[in-house]
Amino acid sequence: MGYSYGGAAGRSMAWTVLVCVVALSLAQGRRLRPPRCPLGCTCTKDNALCEDITAVPTSFPPDVVSLSFVKSGFNELTTGSFVQMPALQLLLFTANSFDFIDEDAFQGLPHLEYLFIENNKIVAISPNAFRGLKTLIHLMCSKEWTPCLKWICLKWLVEWMVNTNATMDQISCSGPPAHQDKKINNMLPASFDCIKAEFSAYQALKFESISVEAFTFGGEQFVVFAQPFAGTCSFLEWDHVEMNFRIYDTIEGTSTVVCKPMVIDGSLFVVVAQLFGGSHIYKRDASSNRFIKIQDIDILKIRKPNDVEAFMVDGESFFVIADSSKAGSTTIYKWNGNGFYSHQSLHPWYRDTDVEYVEISNKAHLILSSSSQRPVVYQWNRGLKRFTRRTDIPEMEDVFSVKHFRIKGEVFICMTRFIGDSKVMRWDGAMFKEVQTFPSRGSMVFQPVAVGNWQYAIMGSDYSLTQVHQWDPKRGQFVHSQELNIQAPRAFALVSVDNRHFLLSSSFKGKTQIYQHLMIDLSD
């Protein structure tokens, strides 16, 4: 049976069908219509030349396999700039003004064989800018690249040259120093292993702390945190099965500010410094497997302890407590085989904030920082068996803490100031001289730590994120590496266990944090 469209309703339906057919035909025509040559470009059957344009066009006619940019004004090659041009086999950039090539800038070019980048204004190239160019057989780079090569991981490029018949310009490396002025064509992939190191969040502990100390006892690795609000020393041990730090034991007290472990003749002692209730010395009792208080520290000498440092001189064990009160006295204690007794008071009434033991030219030294005078350097006198004043550190008043580190035998110190600039200084044979300055408002810790050949200086702050700086051997200075989110950090310590390295950070106003030091290979 047939149907016909009669009357007004029929004509309306017919008109609707006609409109739909026409619209569908137009849409199909638009889908089938190939892209036109972009404005500012000249296109032939399979080539395109763009000159003096301000942006990379998003598409070209589908038959274009060769694309050139000359004297154009775009600022960078962004990620995926050519994903709509998968047929490209040759890409050329000459005398353009762009200065940056972004990550995956040449993504989506499975057939690209020739890439020419000549006489542009490049100042920075992302490490993975050329990722995915698996069919490339020739890369032409002008000498403008040379300053960039020091910082770019080129292992992929050298592997590509080794595994293919590709050719490349004779470009020399500007760095690192071991490969300076060497030709890329003459190098092996292993020469360009590019490793980045960083601290990654690993474990958070649900307590505030003001100090942290790492130590080894009985062949196992431990850490101890001083918790001023809880008034305890919290000992943690490494769990080799669960692969985390767990509570091992505690020493109960009041207003605890420092828990300093000392291992002497196979026995573990802990100096517990407290703001109230006096300071004490505990010993780990092997038979009962607990800490027992064995000695009180003279409360008339130590009124307001702020730091404890343990060390050995001429085979004998000592510790020194920096006293920050107006009436106390920074005092050195010596182990006599049965207990610790007062050996020497360095000076009274100076409100000392930190004490650091360091060997300089194979001689024992103490550096004492104070809120009332410049840091003082003391040297051990073997004849007197006492420390005598050697010098002070000029132009560094109101230093909160001093911590030392070594690089190639040279002694450096990190000096922390809460208001003003913190500094890194180097011993020149007679005096500590400034190497580098760091703005540090709100900082109460500037701690150097070393992981293998990686040397860091970590600056905590009450007002901003913790700044991690990494030592640059070529510059002879620290460069910024990363930031860590820690509330009011007061101390850092490094623990190495089970082939892992951990940075432990005390937090005065939040959770105590543990970070793992990771090595990331960026060369692949």
Side-chain angles (χ1 to χ4, degrees):
M1 179 179 292
Y3 293 90
S4 63
Y5 299 107
R11 287 192 298 272
S12 177
M13 182 178 294
W15 175 254
T16 301
V17 171
L18 177 60
V19 169
C20 291
V21 170
V22 171
L24 181 60
S25 298
L26 291 174
Q28 289 176 337
R30 282 196 296 269
R31 285 201 299 268
L32 296 175
R33 183 180 299 163
R36 295 180 179 179
C37 190
L39 186 65
C41 302
T42 302
C43 301
T44 62
K45 183 178 185 300
D46 54 8
N47 298 294
L49 170 63
C50 300
E51 188 172 359
D52 197 26
I53 61 173
T54 58
V56 177
T58 57
S59 63
F60 283 85
D63 294 333
V64 169
V65 296
S66 173
L67 175 58
S68 302
F69 294 92
V70 179
K71 297 180 180 179
S72 294
F74 45 86
N75 296 324
E76 61 179 314
L77 294 182
T78 59
T79 300
S81 292
F82 306 98
V83 291
Q84 302 298 325
M85 301 166 238
L88 283 181
Q89 298 176 22
L90 182 148
L91 189 54
L92 179 144
F93 302 90
T94 299
N96 301 286
S97 63
F98 68 90
D99 58 9
F100 177 63
I101 303 179
D102 203 353
E103 301 276 322
D104 298 310
F106 304 100
Q107 181 183 17
L109 296 177
H111 304 295
L112 193 70
E113 297 181 353
Y114 299 90
L115 178 59
F116 301 87
I117 303 178
E118 306 170 311
N119 302 318
N120 302 284
K121 297 182 180 180
I122 299 174
V123 294
I125 305 173
S126 295
N128 295 314
F130 303 97
R131 184 164 49 191
L133 296 180
K134 297 181 179 180
T135 59
L136 202 67
I137 61 174
H138 185 80
L139 176 63
M140 173 75 75
C141 315
S142 65
K143 292 183 179 180
E144 64 179 316
W145 278 36
T146 304
C148 305
L149 294 181
K150 175 182 175 181
W151 302 111
I152 301 169
C153 296
L154 294 174
K155 183 178 180 180
W156 69 270
L157 178 60
V158 180
E159 286 180 336
W160 161 70
M161 294 171 61
V162 170
N163 296 327
T164 67
N165 293 322
T167 58
M168 182 176 173
D169 273 4
Q170 285 290 339
I171 294 179
S172 300
C173 297
S174 64
H179 304 307
Q180 189 168 358
D181 298 325
K182 291 183 179 180
K183 302 294 185 182
I184 289 182
N185 287 346
N186 299 331
M187 304 192 72
L188 298 174
S191 302
F192 281 89
D193 284 341
C194 192
I195 304 298
K196 176 186 177 183
E198 69 177 22
F199 292 99
S200 178
Y202 188 83
Q203 185 179 353
L205 305 173
K206 297 180 180 180
F207 56 77
E208 298 90 356
S209 57
I210 195 171
S211 73
V212 55
E213 301 282 349
F215 65 99
T216 301
F217 179 65
E220 293 294 330
Q221 188 71 53
F222 299 89
V223 292
V224 56
F225 292 92
Q227 296 180 243
F229 304 118
T232 64
C233 296
S234 295
F235 292 82
L236 279 69
E237 64 179 347
W238 174 251
D239 188 322
H240 297 276
V241 177
E242 298 295 331
M243 305 298 281
N244 60 18
F245 290 90
R246 65 185 181 188
I247 293 293
Y248 168 72
D249 205 346
T250 59
I251 295 177
E252 301 295 332
T254 59
S255 61
T256 306
V257 291
V258 181
C259 307
K260 189 70 178 183
M262 300 177 65
V263 178
I264 302 175
D265 298 330
S267 296
L268 174 62
F269 299 88
V270 181
V271 181
V272 180
Q274 302 183 137
L275 294 181
F276 306 103
S279 298
H280 314 282
I281 301 173
Y282 288 78
K283 181 180 179 181
R284 187 73 179 179
D285 183 72
S287 59
S288 61
N289 199 30
R290 63 189 182 94
F291 288 102
I292 299 176
K293 185 169 70 171
I294 63 168
Q295 188 176 342
D296 296 326
I297 296 175
D298 188 351
I299 195 170
L300 295 179
K301 290 181 178 293
I302 304 300
R303 295 176 178 267
K304 191 178 179 182
N306 203 72
D307 182 46
V308 180
E309 181 82 337
F311 56 93
M312 292 188 67
V313 178
D314 296 336
E316 296 186 292
S317 297
F318 299 82
F319 71 84
V320 54
I321 301 182
D323 190 277
S324 60
S325 70
K326 293 182 180 180
S329 177
T330 293
T331 305
I332 300 172
Y333 293 84
K334 180 182 177 182
W335 172 253
N336 68 357
N338 297 309
F340 296 88
Y341 69 93
S342 176
H343 178 75
Q344 179 185 358
S345 291
L346 290 181
H347 54 65
W349 311 317
Y350 277 117
R351 297 166 58 191
D352 297 325
T353 55
D354 187 81
V355 58
E356 178 78 350
Y357 175 81
V358 55
E359 292 187 1
I360 303 175
S361 301
N362 297 319
K363 295 180 180 179
H365 289 74
L366 292 176
I367 305 176
L368 208 58
S369 65
S370 169
S371 59
S372 63
Q373 66 172 0
R374 295 181 297 195
V376 180
V377 180
Y378 290 85
Q379 181 176 318
W380 178 256
N381 185 310
R382 286 187 173 177
L384 298 175
K385 292 187 179 298
R386 298 170 69 86
F387 283 94
T388 57
R389 181 183 175 119
R390 178 172 181 177
T391 184
D392 62 12
I393 301 176
E395 300 180 7
M396 283 302 293
E397 288 76 9
D398 201 20
V399 171
F400 184 78
S401 68
V402 181
K403 304 299 177 186
H404 85 280
F405 63 99
R406 296 178 183 275
I407 295 180
K408 294 183 177 179
E410 292 192 297
V411 177
F412 295 79
I413 55 175
C414 292
M415 308 187 71
T416 314
R417 299 171 81 185
F418 188 81
I419 298 176
D421 293 333
S422 294
K423 295 180 184 287
V424 172
M425 308 186 85
R426 181 180 64 84
W427 180 257
D428 70 353
M431 180 67 67
F432 282 102
K433 296 294 183 64
E434 180 179 325
V435 172
Q436 195 172 0
T437 298
F438 297 83
S440 59
R441 180 170 172 78
S443 178
M444 298 185 74
V445 56
F446 188 24
Q447 177 72 51
V449 297
V451 183
N453 294 325
W454 303 84
Q455 178 66 57
Y456 299 94
I458 306 175
M459 178 175 287
S461 173
D462 284 10
Y463 305 141
S464 63
L465 296 175
T466 293
Q467 306 296 317
V468 180
H469 305 278
Q470 183 179 315
W471 182 259
D472 183 340
K474 186 172 184 180
R475 298 185 188 182
Q477 290 187 332
F478 286 100
V479 296
H480 185 265
S481 175
Q482 70 177 114
E483 295 179 336
L484 303 176
N485 188 9
I486 308 168
Q487 291 182 271
R490 292 294 183 266
F492 300 99
L494 193 76
V495 176
S496 298
V497 60
D498 286 348
N499 296 317
R500 299 185 179 200
H501 307 284
F502 297 97
L503 178 72
L504 296 95
S505 171
S506 66
S507 172
F508 189 62
K509 297 180 180 180
K511 293 181 179 180
T512 294
Q513 301 290 336
I514 300 176
Y515 296 85
Q516 184 175 2
H517 187 260
L518 299 177
M519 314 296 288
I520 303 172
D521 189 351
L522 299 176
S523 57
D524 294 327

